Amino acid sequence: MTEEVKPNPSEATTHDAQLAAENMASGEEEVQKVDLDADYEASKAFSVSEVDRKGGGAEAAEAATAPKFKVPEATEMKSSPDTTGDPADYIQMAQEVSPRKDG
């Protein structure tokens, strides 16, 4: 599907573009032809990298996203005391969080 570019000097944004559009409209300069199908087929070559063509894409992605530091396993936290309304439960919980020797 080849399309011909139709220059319009009034739509040109710069002086150089306006001069080029006027030259194309008058026939002094050749009007470019655009082949969308050929451009689309050519663009497919750029959509896949060399690594993916050779089959190493999955390994490269794994290596690029692998963690650099060891992540420790999560430890299970103690559950908070039941809400009985007894202040002693909360005192015990506070001491577990910030224990002091003097009580």
Side-chain angles (χ1 to χ4, degrees), residues 46-61:
F46 297 105
S47 67
V48 180
S49 69
E50 277 300 314
V51 174
D52 289 329
R53 284 190 199 120
K54 294 178 181 174
E59 292 85 14

Side-chain angles (χ1 to χ4, degrees), residues 4 8 50-51 53-54 61 82 86 92:
E4 188 174 311
N8 186 351
E50 277 300 314
V51 174
R53 284 190 199 120
K54 294 178 181 174
D82 294 330
D86 185 9
Q92 179 185 356

Side-chain angles (χ1 to χ4, degrees), residues 18-59:
Q18 185 177 9
L19 288 176
E22 288 171 358
N23 288 341
M24 286 181 210
S26 67
E28 293 177 35
E29 199 171 311
E30 183 180 335
V31 178
Q32 299 175 357
K33 296 193 184 325
V34 179
D35 189 353
L36 298 177
D37 293 330
D39 288 347
Y40 177 69
E41 292 300 320
S43 72
K44 288 181 183 178
F46 297 105
S47 67
V48 180
S49 69
E50 277 300 314
V51 174
D52 289 329
R53 284 190 199 120
K54 294 178 181 174
E59 292 85 14

Side-chain angles (χ1 to χ4, degrees), residues 8-19:
N8 186 351
S10 64
E11 292 179 358
T13 56
T14 64
H15 183 68
D16 290 338
Q18 185 177 9
L19 288 176

